[in-house]
Amino acid sequence: MGWTRREFLALASAGTVAGLAACSVPQQSQEQPAGSGSSGSSAEEPKSDVVLKEFEDLALDMSAWKYDKEHEVYYQLGVPYCLKPGSASLESLAIFVPGAYFKAEEKGDTYACTIDTEATVGNFTPATAPVVMPINSGTLSAQNCPTSYGYKGLGTYLDAGFVYVYAGFRGRSAGFESDSKEIISGGAPWPVVDLKAAVRFLRYNKDSLPCDTSRVFSFGFSMGGGIAAVLGSSGDSELYTPYLEQIGAITHDGTNGDPISDAIFGSASWCPITSFDTADAAYEWQMGQYSTDGTRADGQWTQLLSRDLAAAYAASVNSLDLRDSDDNALTLDETSGEIFTDGTYYNYMVDQVEAAAANFFQNTTFPYTYTPTFITSPSFPGDPNLQSSAAGVTDVEAVTGDASAQAATSSSTDATASGTATTTTTTTTEGTTTTTTTTSTPTGTTQVQSTVYNTVFDYVSALNASDYWLTYNQRRGTARIQSLGAFVRNLKPAKKGVCAFDAVDRSSVENQTFGIDDESTLHFSKTAAELIAQHIDAYSGAQQWDKKYVTEWGDDVAKEDALGTTVTTRVNMLNPLYFLSGGYDGFGTAGVAPHWRINSGLFQTDTSLCTEANLALALSHYDGVSDVAFTPVWGQGHMLAEQSGDAEGNLVAWVVACCAPAGSE
């Protein structure tokens, strides 16, 4: 009888997996998640091989709470979560607690607090309240612990009864403290390591905090969403142990010496950028192979690399053991000339696009206004020093493409006292109105194009203007696309060059993420390195080729950081599939969150839909995962994509549902 790696490991490690999977059981007490090594019994003898007081300096000072009387919020800022931080300003956290959860005695400008066990906020009590942890960085820049308090936005979470924890962490690059010349390591895997240490800190202080620390949820956008996915998939993985030890992260409690877990209860992400081992190949398979300009133009060596990366992605998919809801293997088949646009995986991706389109048509009221949006970072609350203007709209195009030659155009320009100039252009064709507003500021240019479609038929006609590829059956409520390539060419074209993430000139934020200290950017794609070495004869005869690429890529992926970890292993440490897919050695070696929410803007060009789809597929067949909400959103780009409603409001509702007792509605 044949076994997949997933099936074999599931049987071989049944005991281990069962223990880890038990973490998914909602805890109605303050015990550690099952499988973390904590018995939850204070009657046991302390372990003899640990120092019980090793982490007592990290005990939360319950007399140091500040209080916002107007909004009834207790908070602490700048709380260290590890003993040996590389950066004290980054590796500390802020805690925000609904006022009802505490009984407090005023002590000058602080309050001494104890838990009010009878309190209720929303659906929760201090014994059941979940913890939510935002990752407020779309490009994986460092997240500072707040140095001042601001209530704006916190009510969304605190009014629901959550405890909100804003943890600082190191970002994609190494750096320096302002008062020191000693370098602080950054990049992979430090953001994950720091946040794991923060989770352990909360569990170490579980008896002081008015929440259930087994119910920790992390959420993020873009690269921050990728980190949230890694936190959700890599609980207690030994890969991170040397890094956690280096910063003095908590390892055990102070009562019995029982291990403390960093596995979390839920992970939510919007447009996550992750799985960097296949990200470039996936981009070329879904998007790049349908482009013929720029670095993919005929004669360019990168055009050849694009073709080979797309083929390599097919080989990768066929090794991942991804399966549909009926447990059928999803694979890619070659159609002709090493082009893989057939097979069950291809059909699955088409189904995702069609389902998203059908949902859009069924739930959209016309006239419909389409405004393309792109944000670089979210604006989750907690740090008032961050400006919400960091989330902007930039360089976007109307889905209708070129306006009709018969269109009537009007233009006006206004200037404000601040020097901001706004130009508005309105173009009208039959059934469609397009308004373009370009705003120039001292810091750059922001452009927004809005198009109003009077009827669903006007919208479909506009999308089919260049070629007929989309149909919608209004009576049946179904949508059909001619091919994945047609959808990509019209609505999701490749905007990034080859390689989209591991840039040829090492210029991407992902290259920074895998840099090592003063080597600030490095190549990290083992697949690209191998293809370049294998096809040097073909590539060297094409335009823009440089023989240095062979040694640069090959040398970079073999480099080790200060802890002796290679770039390739660090890529695994930022890849949730490494722990979720039977195609990787890390499968079955970590605690996986039982609850997942993954939303993707279907029109985004920053990454392929494969990233989110593969994550959802792997999770849907992983033992111990209770639910996976995967939603590709038609008409939205790289943003906090939602089919309806407010992103943070929807997140709160999801967390509440995840914490509901079994069988409740």
Side-chain angles (χ1 to χ4, degrees), residues 178-459:
S178 58
D179 58 350
S180 173
K181 293 184 178 180
E182 184 176 349
I183 196 166
I184 301 168
S185 295
W190 285 113
V192 177
V193 172
D194 289 346
L195 289 166
K196 283 177 174 287
V199 172
R200 293 183 179 199
F201 169 87
L202 298 174
R203 297 216 168 109
Y204 183 81
N205 288 285
K206 62 185 177 64
D207 293 330
S208 299
L209 290 168
C211 55
D212 182 350
T213 58
S214 72
R215 289 174 163 176
V216 176
F217 292 81
S218 183
F219 59 96
F221 162 76
S222 194
M223 290 184 76
I227 297 300
V230 175
L231 286 172
S233 61
S234 66
D236 305 321
S237 167
E238 293 182 357
L239 276 181
Y240 306 89
T241 299
Y243 297 86
L244 289 162
E245 289 177 345
Q246 185 177 92
I247 64 173
I250 293 169
T251 59
H252 57 269
D253 66 32
T255 304
N256 298 310
D258 290 325
I260 287 182
S261 172
D262 55 51
I264 65 173
F265 195 62
S267 171
S269 56
W270 293 269
C271 301
I273 292 181
T274 185
S275 299
F276 296 108
D277 62 329
T278 60
D280 289 298
Y283 196 92
E284 297 311 311
W285 176 79
Q286 184 174 66
M287 300 154 71
Q289 67 174 320
Y290 302 110
S291 174
T292 57
D293 56 11
T295 57
R296 298 175 183 88
D298 286 344
Q300 301 290 319
W301 81 272
T302 42
Q303 191 272 341
L304 303 177
L305 178 60
S306 171
R307 176 202 63 194
D308 293 335
L309 281 168
Y313 182 69
S316 174
V317 165
N318 294 343
S319 72
L320 289 180
D321 193 26
L322 300 174
R323 294 170 179 268
D324 64 16
S325 58
D326 296 322
D327 206 35
N328 298 311
L330 297 180
T331 59
L332 282 171
D333 299 333
E334 184 175 358
T335 49
S336 62
E338 296 185 340
I339 302 298
F340 292 81
T341 54
D342 199 2
T344 51
Y345 182 86
Y346 176 87
N347 295 336
Y348 171 82
M349 297 300 291
V350 169
D351 290 344
Q352 297 306 303
V353 174
E354 291 180 339
N359 181 277
F360 168 83
F361 286 122
Q362 293 167 15
N363 295 285
T364 299
T365 300
F366 285 80
Y368 160 67
T369 301
Y370 171 64
T371 304
T373 54
F374 173 92
I375 68 173
T376 55
S377 282
S379 297
F380 303 130
D383 187 352
N385 298 315
L386 293 178
Q387 297 181 357
S388 61
S389 60
V393 181
T394 182
D395 253 323
V396 289
E397 297 178 356
V399 298
T400 52
D402 216 4
S404 168
Q406 293 80 21
T409 301
S410 64
S411 178
S412 64
T413 302
D414 299 301
T416 66
S418 63
T420 299
T422 300
T423 301
T424 301
T425 302
T426 301
T427 303
T428 303
T429 59
E430 184 177 354
T432 304
T433 300
T434 302
T435 299
T436 302
T437 301
T438 303
T439 303
S440 300
T441 68
T443 57
T445 300
T446 298
Q447 184 180 65
V448 177
Q449 289 185 316
S450 295
T451 305
V452 179
Y453 301 93
N454 292 332
T455 69
V456 63
F457 302 106
D458 293 329
Y459 181 65

Side-chain angles (χ1 to χ4, degrees), residues 30 62 65 67 71-74 95-104 112-131 157-164 207-212 215 656:
Q30 292 293 303
M62 294 301 290
W65 292 93
Y67 185 50
H71 301 104
E72 298 184 337
V73 179
Y74 288 98
I95 308 174
F96 305 92
V97 175
Y101 286 162
F102 277 148
K103 295 177 180 178
C113 295
T114 57
I115 297 173
D116 183 353
T117 58
E118 302 300 318
T120 299
V121 180
N123 294 341
F124 301 103
T125 69
T128 62
V131 179
Y157 304 90
L158 300 184
D159 291 349
F162 302 172
V163 169
Y164 192 87
D207 293 330
S208 299
L209 290 168
C211 55
D212 182 350
R215 289 174 163 176
V656 171

Side-chain angles (χ1 to χ4, degrees), residues 242-243 558-567 569-570:
Y243 297 86
K559 287 181 178 177
E560 298 181 352
D561 66 10
L563 291 176
T565 306
T566 65
V567 169
T569 300
R570 291 167 61 217

